[in-house]
Amino acid sequence: ALDKEGATVLLGMRKPDNFNCSEHDLSDNARPIALDMGTKESIEQSLPQLLEEELDMVVNNAGQLTGGLLEEQPLDDIYSMFQVNLVGLVHLTRALVPGMVQRGQGKIINNASVSGVMHLPCASTYAAAKTAVVAFTNSLNLELTGTGVSTLTLITPGIKTRMYDEISTLYGEHMDLSQLSSIPPEEYATKVIKAIKKDKLFYEPSGSVGFALWLARHTPGIFRKVGTMSFKR
């Protein structure tokens, strides 16, 4: 979506050599670069190339999913998810903020989740990471006051991606997922572009998901009852 808006887009991915931009309807202004959020060392390896660029915008979009009863979640999966969803995000942002501040402009877009607000059973570790992303972005935004650099926190609903398809596998044994819904990535990307153009600090869905977010924030007792109705150990 950013490419279609005319931006020069660096697509961070683990295997850039296997990615063909033309096959994904991307212009010559888009190019893949090596970026693996999986370890501290792999991020450090990518930073010299990234720091050569005068980046106006950073979209922290990498994500992994964990789910199920806490005691049944593989420990390695938990560590990996926190690294990619939270620690790597903080690491990369920390490295790129100084250049933006020096130039006096920029926007950092962090993909959180409705799980960062709505804390449901079977989402203990994933919700913890996404809640931390919300808190980190809010605090960072205050630190950046007066610098010309701002943030955008995305409270992202269900998006029909490969990760979304993992929900039924990880959560389905203990949660009734019949009310679960999603939207296409292209539809959500359009909404994000609008939020960027309006220089919003926060974006979240409306409708039934928006109402659920309101319940979680303002009537936690009711939200707890609703959330546990569909859960079974």
Side-chain angles (χ1 to χ4, degrees):
L2 288 167
D3 177 67
K4 288 179 172 56
E5 291 290 326
T8 297
V9 182
L10 305 181
L11 302 158
M13 59 187 68
R14 287 169 290 178
K15 298 179 180 179
D17 293 341
N18 298 336
F19 188 85
N20 189 316
C21 287
S22 62
E23 291 179 1
H24 295 270
D25 195 28
L26 293 166
S27 75
D28 293 338
N29 289 329
R31 70 179 192 270
I33 62 169
L35 178 59
D36 183 352
M37 301 292 282
T39 67
K40 173 185 175 181
E41 291 74 22
S42 61
I43 295 172
E44 284 291 313
Q45 289 174 6
S46 298
L47 286 181
Q49 181 182 2
L50 288 173
L51 292 173
E52 289 179 357
E53 308 284 345
E54 293 190 357
L55 299 175
D56 297 308
M57 192 179 304
V58 176
V59 183
N60 282 306
N61 195 50
Q64 292 181 2
L65 183 67
T66 50
L69 300 180
L70 175 61
E71 64 270 26
E72 295 177 355
Q73 296 180 34
L75 196 57
D76 286 346
D77 290 355
I78 294 172
Y79 269 83
S80 179
M81 182 278 300
F82 272 107
Q83 167 61 34
V84 172
N85 291 17
L86 177 61
V87 180
L89 177 150
V90 173
H91 183 165
L92 189 64
T93 304
R94 176 184 179 275
L96 298 178
V97 157
M100 291 183 168
V101 171
Q102 186 178 25
R103 292 188 295 276
Q105 64 179 21
K107 196 164 190 71
I108 298 159
I109 301 162
N110 289 337
N111 195 347
S113 166
V114 292
S115 292
V117 178
M118 300 190 298
H119 303 149
L120 291 167
C122 295
S124 56
T125 52
Y126 182 76
K130 290 302 186 179
T131 301
V133 170
V134 174
F136 167 74
T137 313
N138 288 343
S139 292
L140 178 62
N141 181 262
L142 297 179
E143 291 182 21
L144 294 171
T145 300
T147 65
V149 183
S150 63
T151 62
L152 170 58
T153 305
L154 301 176
I155 305 298
T156 303
I159 309 296
K160 193 68 171 71
T161 62
R162 291 192 305 273
M163 194 173 86
Y164 178 86
D165 293 338
E166 296 174 6
I167 294 175
S168 59
T169 301
L170 296 176
Y171 292 62
E173 183 179 351
H174 301 284
M175 291 287 289
D176 176 8
L177 303 176
S178 59
Q179 302 301 313
L180 198 64
S181 62
S182 65
I183 62 174
E186 296 81 4
E187 180 180 333
Y188 190 60
T190 299
K191 299 177 185 297
V192 173
I193 291 293
K194 290 180 180 179
I196 294 170
K197 288 183 175 181
K198 293 180 179 179
D199 200 24
K200 286 191 172 185
L201 303 180
F202 205 77
Y203 177 80
E204 62 184 46
S206 55
S208 59
V209 179
F211 179 66
L213 288 167
W214 186 91
L215 285 178
R217 289 189 177 109
H218 301 290
T219 60
I222 295 175
F223 181 81
R224 175 183 173 85
K225 289 181 180 179
V226 174
T228 53
M229 284 173 56
S230 61
F231 169 72
K232 63 177 181 179
R233 285 191 67 91

PDB file of all heavy atoms in Angstrom, residues 15 35 37 44 58 71 74 80 92-93 100 104 106 116 127 130 137 160 169 178 185 201 206 217 221-222 229:
ATOM      1  N   LYS A  15      14.589 -13.896   4.028  1.00  0.00           N
ATOM      2  CA  LYS A  15      15.175 -14.470   2.812  1.00  0.00           C
ATOM      3  C   LYS A  15      14.887 -13.564   1.610  1.00  0.00           C
ATOM      4  O   LYS A  15      14.056 -13.892   0.763  1.00  0.00           O
ATOM      5  CB  LYS A  15      14.623 -15.871   2.582  1.00  0.00           C
ATOM      6  CG  LYS A  15      14.963 -16.845   3.703  1.00  0.00           C
ATOM      7  CD  LYS A  15      14.365 -18.224   3.441  1.00  0.00           C
ATOM      8  CE  LYS A  15      14.709 -19.188   4.576  1.00  0.00           C
ATOM      9  NZ  LYS A  15      14.112 -20.538   4.354  1.00  0.00           N
ATOM     10  N   LEU A  35      16.556  -8.802   6.889  1.00  0.00           N
ATOM     11  CA  LEU A  35      16.246  -8.368   8.257  1.00  0.00           C
ATOM     12  C   LEU A  35      15.540  -9.512   8.978  1.00  0.00           C
ATOM     13  O   LEU A  35      14.411  -9.854   8.661  1.00  0.00           O
ATOM     14  CB  LEU A  35      15.360  -7.118   8.245  1.00  0.00           C
ATOM     15  CG  LEU A  35      14.924  -6.596   9.618  1.00  0.00           C
ATOM     16  CD1 LEU A  35      16.133  -6.248  10.476  1.00  0.00           C
ATOM     17  CD2 LEU A  35      14.013  -5.373   9.462  1.00  0.00           C
ATOM     18  N   MET A  37      14.277 -10.602  12.611  1.00  0.00           N
ATOM     19  CA  MET A  37      13.988 -10.080  13.949  1.00  0.00           C
ATOM     20  C   MET A  37      14.169 -11.141  15.032  1.00  0.00           C
ATOM     21  O   MET A  37      13.892 -10.899  16.206  1.00  0.00           O
ATOM     22  CB  MET A  37      12.562  -9.535  13.987  1.00  0.00           C
ATOM     23  CG  MET A  37      12.289  -8.432  12.995  1.00  0.00           C
ATOM     24  SD  MET A  37      13.181  -6.909  13.379  1.00  0.00           S
ATOM     25  CE  MET A  37      12.143  -6.273  14.695  1.00  0.00           C
ATOM     26  N   GLU A  44      21.406  -6.767  14.595  1.00  0.00           N
ATOM     27  CA  GLU A  44      22.634  -5.978  14.534  1.00  0.00           C
ATOM     28  C   GLU A  44      23.296  -6.088  13.164  1.00  0.00           C
ATOM     29  O   GLU A  44      23.870  -5.120  12.659  1.00  0.00           O
ATOM     30  CB  GLU A  44      23.598  -6.431  15.631  1.00  0.00           C
ATOM     31  CG  GLU A  44      23.234  -5.958  17.019  1.00  0.00           C
ATOM     32  CD  GLU A  44      23.399  -4.455  17.194  1.00  0.00           C
ATOM     33  OE1 GLU A  44      24.451  -3.926  16.784  1.00  0.00           O
ATOM     34  OE2 GLU A  44      22.460  -3.814  17.710  1.00  0.00           O
ATOM     35  N   VAL A  58       9.072   3.929   9.835  1.00  0.00           N
ATOM     36  CA  VAL A  58       9.392   2.543  10.178  1.00  0.00           C
ATOM     37  C   VAL A  58       8.092   1.843  10.542  1.00  0.00           C
ATOM     38  O   VAL A  58       7.341   2.321  11.387  1.00  0.00           O
ATOM     39  CB  VAL A  58      10.379   2.460  11.367  1.00  0.00           C
ATOM     40  CG1 VAL A  58      10.622   1.002  11.757  1.00  0.00           C
ATOM     41  CG2 VAL A  58      11.684   3.139  11.018  1.00  0.00           C
ATOM     42  N   GLU A  71       0.629 -23.532  30.535  1.00  0.00           N
ATOM     43  CA  GLU A  71       1.522 -24.651  30.822  1.00  0.00           C
ATOM     44  C   GLU A  71       1.733 -25.555  29.616  1.00  0.00           C
ATOM     45  O   GLU A  71       2.652 -26.394  29.612  1.00  0.00           O
ATOM     46  CB  GLU A  71       0.992 -25.480  31.999  1.00  0.00           C
ATOM     47  CG  GLU A  71      -0.345 -26.163  31.761  1.00  0.00           C
ATOM     48  CD  GLU A  71      -1.535 -25.316  32.169  1.00  0.00           C
ATOM     49  OE1 GLU A  71      -1.409 -24.066  32.170  1.00  0.00           O
ATOM     50  OE2 GLU A  71      -2.591 -25.895  32.479  1.00  0.00           O
ATOM     51  N   PRO A  74       4.897 -24.239  24.339  1.00  0.00           N
ATOM     52  CA  PRO A  74       6.331 -24.555  24.351  1.00  0.00           C
ATOM     53  C   PRO A  74       7.159 -23.336  24.751  1.00  0.00           C
ATOM     54  O   PRO A  74       6.953 -22.234  24.234  1.00  0.00           O
ATOM     55  CB  PRO A  74       6.610 -24.962  22.898  1.00  0.00           C
ATOM     56  CG  PRO A  74       5.278 -25.403  22.370  1.00  0.00           C
ATOM     57  CD  PRO A  74       4.278 -24.527  23.035  1.00  0.00           C
ATOM     58  N   SER A  80      10.743 -17.044  21.581  1.00  0.00           N
ATOM     59  CA  SER A  80      10.847 -16.566  20.205  1.00  0.00           C
ATOM     60  C   SER A  80       9.817 -15.483  19.922  1.00  0.00           C
ATOM     61  O   SER A  80      10.116 -14.468  19.286  1.00  0.00           O
ATOM     62  CB  SER A  80      10.657 -17.738  19.237  1.00  0.00           C
ATOM     63  OG  SER A  80      10.737 -17.299  17.901  1.00  0.00           O
ATOM     64  N   LEU A  92      15.118  -2.513  17.184  1.00  0.00           N
ATOM     65  CA  LEU A  92      15.160  -1.840  15.891  1.00  0.00           C
ATOM     66  C   LEU A  92      14.767  -0.370  16.018  1.00  0.00           C
ATOM     67  O   LEU A  92      15.412   0.520  15.441  1.00  0.00           O
ATOM     68  CB  LEU A  92      14.229  -2.552  14.906  1.00  0.00           C
ATOM     69  CG  LEU A  92      14.316  -2.106  13.447  1.00  0.00           C
ATOM     70  CD1 LEU A  92      15.683  -2.400  12.861  1.00  0.00           C
ATOM     71  CD2 LEU A  92      13.234  -2.793  12.620  1.00  0.00           C
ATOM     72  N   THR A  93      13.722  -0.104  16.768  1.00  0.00           N
ATOM     73  CA  THR A  93      13.265   1.274  16.957  1.00  0.00           C
ATOM     74  C   THR A  93      14.341   2.113  17.629  1.00  0.00           C
ATOM     75  O   THR A  93      14.610   3.254  17.222  1.00  0.00           O
ATOM     76  CB  THR A  93      11.979   1.297  17.785  1.00  0.00           C
ATOM     77  OG1 THR A  93      10.973   0.486  17.154  1.00  0.00           O
ATOM     78  CG2 THR A  93      11.445   2.720  17.927  1.00  0.00           C
ATOM     79  N   MET A 100      16.102   9.832  12.799  1.00  0.00           N
ATOM     80  CA  MET A 100      14.866  10.583  12.571  1.00  0.00           C
ATOM     81  C   MET A 100      14.861  11.877  13.382  1.00  0.00           C
ATOM     82  O   MET A 100      14.501  12.946  12.874  1.00  0.00           O
ATOM     83  CB  MET A 100      13.657   9.720  12.953  1.00  0.00           C
ATOM     84  CG  MET A 100      13.404   8.551  12.028  1.00  0.00           C
ATOM     85  SD  MET A 100      11.896   7.666  12.544  1.00  0.00           S
ATOM     86  CE  MET A 100      11.652   6.603  11.112  1.00  0.00           C
ATOM     87  N   GLY A 104      14.681  15.663  12.186  1.00  0.00           N
ATOM     88  CA  GLY A 104      13.509  16.420  12.607  1.00  0.00           C
ATOM     89  C   GLY A 104      12.210  15.968  11.978  1.00  0.00           C
ATOM     90  O   GLY A 104      11.245  16.732  11.932  1.00  0.00           O
ATOM     91  N   GLY A 106       9.755  12.088  11.000  1.00  0.00           N
ATOM     92  CA  GLY A 106       9.650  10.643  10.928  1.00  0.00           C
ATOM     93  C   GLY A 106       8.428  10.123  11.658  1.00  0.00           C
ATOM     94  O   GLY A 106       7.814  10.844  12.454  1.00  0.00           O
ATOM     95  N   GLY A 116      -3.660  -6.543  22.855  1.00  0.00           N
ATOM     96  CA  GLY A 116      -2.974  -5.612  23.734  1.00  0.00           C
ATOM     97  C   GLY A 116      -3.913  -4.869  24.653  1.00  0.00           C
ATOM     98  O   GLY A 116      -3.476  -4.192  25.585  1.00  0.00           O
ATOM     99  N   ALA A 127      -0.768 -11.802  24.489  1.00  0.00           N
ATOM    100  CA  ALA A 127      -1.364 -10.559  24.985  1.00  0.00           C
ATOM    101  C   ALA A 127      -0.356  -9.755  25.794  1.00  0.00           C
ATOM    102  O   ALA A 127      -0.347  -8.515  25.740  1.00  0.00           O
ATOM    103  CB  ALA A 127      -2.598 -10.870  25.827  1.00  0.00           C
ATOM    104  N   LYS A 130       1.868  -7.912  23.273  1.00  0.00           N
ATOM    105  CA  LYS A 130       1.178  -6.838  22.562  1.00  0.00           C
ATOM    106  C   LYS A 130       0.788  -5.693  23.491  1.00  0.00           C
ATOM    107  O   LYS A 130       0.779  -4.522  23.078  1.00  0.00           O
ATOM    108  CB  LYS A 130      -0.056  -7.396  21.845  1.00  0.00           C
ATOM    109  CG  LYS A 130       0.290  -8.294  20.661  1.00  0.00           C
ATOM    110  CD  LYS A 130       1.133  -7.558  19.623  1.00  0.00           C
ATOM    111  CE  LYS A 130       1.365  -8.378  18.366  1.00  0.00           C
ATOM    112  NZ  LYS A 130       2.159  -7.654  17.352  1.00  0.00           N
ATOM    113  N   THR A 137       5.060   2.104  22.903  1.00  0.00           N
ATOM    114  CA  THR A 137       4.809   3.135  21.889  1.00  0.00           C
ATOM    115  C   THR A 137       4.251   4.400  22.516  1.00  0.00           C
ATOM    116  O   THR A 137       4.616   5.515  22.125  1.00  0.00           O
ATOM    117  CB  THR A 137       3.851   2.593  20.812  1.00  0.00           C
ATOM    118  OG1 THR A 137       4.272   1.291  20.396  1.00  0.00           O
ATOM    119  CG2 THR A 137       3.829   3.510  19.601  1.00  0.00           C
ATOM    120  N   LYS A 160      -6.655 -11.585   7.832  1.00  0.00           N
ATOM    121  CA  LYS A 160      -6.575 -12.928   7.250  1.00  0.00           C
ATOM    122  C   LYS A 160      -5.185 -13.178   6.656  1.00  0.00           C
ATOM    123  O   LYS A 160      -4.933 -13.013   5.474  1.00  0.00           O
ATOM    124  CB  LYS A 160      -7.652 -13.100   6.176  1.00  0.00           C
ATOM    125  CG  LYS A 160      -7.833 -14.568   5.747  1.00  0.00           C
ATOM    126  CD  LYS A 160      -8.428 -15.394   6.870  1.00  0.00           C
ATOM    127  CE  LYS A 160      -8.824 -16.789   6.399  1.00  0.00           C
ATOM    128  NZ  LYS A 160      -7.663 -17.663   6.112  1.00  0.00           N
ATOM    129  N   THR A 169      -5.679 -23.603  15.505  1.00  0.00           N
ATOM    130  CA  THR A 169      -4.807 -24.682  15.983  1.00  0.00           C
ATOM    131  C   THR A 169      -4.375 -24.455  17.431  1.00  0.00           C
ATOM    132  O   THR A 169      -4.403 -25.373  18.258  1.00  0.00           O
ATOM    133  CB  THR A 169      -3.562 -24.798  15.088  1.00  0.00           C
ATOM    134  OG1 THR A 169      -3.965 -25.046  13.753  1.00  0.00           O
ATOM    135  CG2 THR A 169      -2.659 -25.925  15.562  1.00  0.00           C
ATOM    136  N   SER A 178     -16.194 -19.540  17.240  1.00  0.00           N
ATOM    137  CA  SER A 178     -17.240 -19.395  16.219  1.00  0.00           C
ATOM    138  C   SER A 178     -17.539 -17.933  15.887  1.00  0.00           C
ATOM    139  O   SER A 178     -18.017 -17.634  14.789  1.00  0.00           O
ATOM    140  CB  SER A 178     -18.524 -20.097  16.663  1.00  0.00           C
ATOM    141  OG  SER A 178     -18.999 -19.561  17.892  1.00  0.00           O
ATOM    142  N   PRO A 185      -5.934  -8.373   4.378  1.00  0.00           N
ATOM    143  CA  PRO A 185      -4.817  -7.454   4.630  1.00  0.00           C
ATOM    144  C   PRO A 185      -4.917  -6.168   3.811  1.00  0.00           C
ATOM    145  O   PRO A 185      -4.581  -5.088   4.295  1.00  0.00           O
ATOM    146  CB  PRO A 185      -3.584  -8.263   4.225  1.00  0.00           C
ATOM    147  CG  PRO A 185      -3.997  -9.684   4.339  1.00  0.00           C
ATOM    148  CD  PRO A 185      -5.455  -9.717   4.000  1.00  0.00           C
ATOM    149  N   LEU A 201      -2.023   9.238  16.145  1.00  0.00           N
ATOM    150  CA  LEU A 201      -1.162   8.585  17.114  1.00  0.00           C
ATOM    151  C   LEU A 201      -1.680   7.197  17.474  1.00  0.00           C
ATOM    152  O   LEU A 201      -0.932   6.371  18.023  1.00  0.00           O
ATOM    153  CB  LEU A 201      -1.064   9.429  18.389  1.00  0.00           C
ATOM    154  CG  LEU A 201      -0.565  10.862  18.234  1.00  0.00           C
ATOM    155  CD1 LEU A 201      -0.521  11.546  19.581  1.00  0.00           C
ATOM    156  CD2 LEU A 201       0.811  10.879  17.573  1.00  0.00           C
ATOM    157  N   SER A 206     -13.537  -0.134  14.623  1.00  0.00           N
ATOM    158  CA  SER A 206     -14.837   0.254  15.156  1.00  0.00           C
ATOM    159  C   SER A 206     -15.760  -0.972  15.120  1.00  0.00           C
ATOM    160  O   SER A 206     -15.295  -2.105  15.099  1.00  0.00           O
ATOM    161  CB  SER A 206     -15.409   1.410  14.328  1.00  0.00           C
ATOM    162  OG  SER A 206     -15.472   1.061  12.945  1.00  0.00           O
ATOM    163  N   ARG A 217     -11.876  -1.947  28.376  1.00  0.00           N
ATOM    164  CA  ARG A 217     -11.287  -0.785  29.040  1.00  0.00           C
ATOM    165  C   ARG A 217     -12.149  -0.275  30.187  1.00  0.00           C
ATOM    166  O   ARG A 217     -11.624   0.120  31.231  1.00  0.00           O
ATOM    167  CB  ARG A 217     -11.076   0.343  28.023  1.00  0.00           C
ATOM    168  CG  ARG A 217      -9.967   0.106  27.013  1.00  0.00           C
ATOM    169  CD  ARG A 217      -9.723   1.376  26.216  1.00  0.00           C
ATOM    170  NE  ARG A 217      -8.628   1.234  25.269  1.00  0.00           N
ATOM    171  CZ  ARG A 217      -8.788   1.171  23.944  1.00  0.00           C
ATOM    172  NH1 ARG A 217     -10.002   1.246  23.416  1.00  0.00           N
ATOM    173  NH2 ARG A 217      -7.748   1.043  23.153  1.00  0.00           N
ATOM    174  N   GLY A 221     -15.243  -6.105  34.526  1.00  0.00           N
ATOM    175  CA  GLY A 221     -16.004  -7.208  35.103  1.00  0.00           C
ATOM    176  C   GLY A 221     -16.885  -7.889  34.072  1.00  0.00           C
ATOM    177  O   GLY A 221     -16.924  -9.126  33.977  1.00  0.00           O
ATOM    178  N   ILE A 222     -17.585  -7.075  33.282  1.00  0.00           N
ATOM    179  CA  ILE A 222     -18.444  -7.627  32.226  1.00  0.00           C
ATOM    180  C   ILE A 222     -17.593  -8.308  31.165  1.00  0.00           C
ATOM    181  O   ILE A 222     -17.924  -9.402  30.686  1.00  0.00           O
ATOM    182  CB  ILE A 222     -19.305  -6.514  31.602  1.00  0.00           C
ATOM    183  CG1 ILE A 222     -20.285  -5.962  32.628  1.00  0.00           C
ATOM    184  CG2 ILE A 222     -20.052  -7.034  30.367  1.00  0.00           C
ATOM    185  CD1 ILE A 222     -21.103  -4.782  32.127  1.00  0.00           C
ATOM    186  N   MET A 229     -16.880 -17.081  29.100  1.00  0.00           N
ATOM    187  CA  MET A 229     -18.018 -17.892  28.645  1.00  0.00           C
ATOM    188  C   MET A 229     -17.623 -18.871  27.546  1.00  0.00           C
ATOM    189  O   MET A 229     -18.165 -19.958  27.443  1.00  0.00           O
ATOM    190  CB  MET A 229     -19.155 -16.981  28.154  1.00  0.00           C
ATOM    191  CG  MET A 229     -19.952 -16.308  29.270  1.00  0.00           C
ATOM    192  SD  MET A 229     -21.142 -15.109  28.611  1.00  0.00           S
ATOM    193  CE  MET A 229     -22.092 -16.107  27.477  1.00  0.00           C
TER     194      MET A 229
END
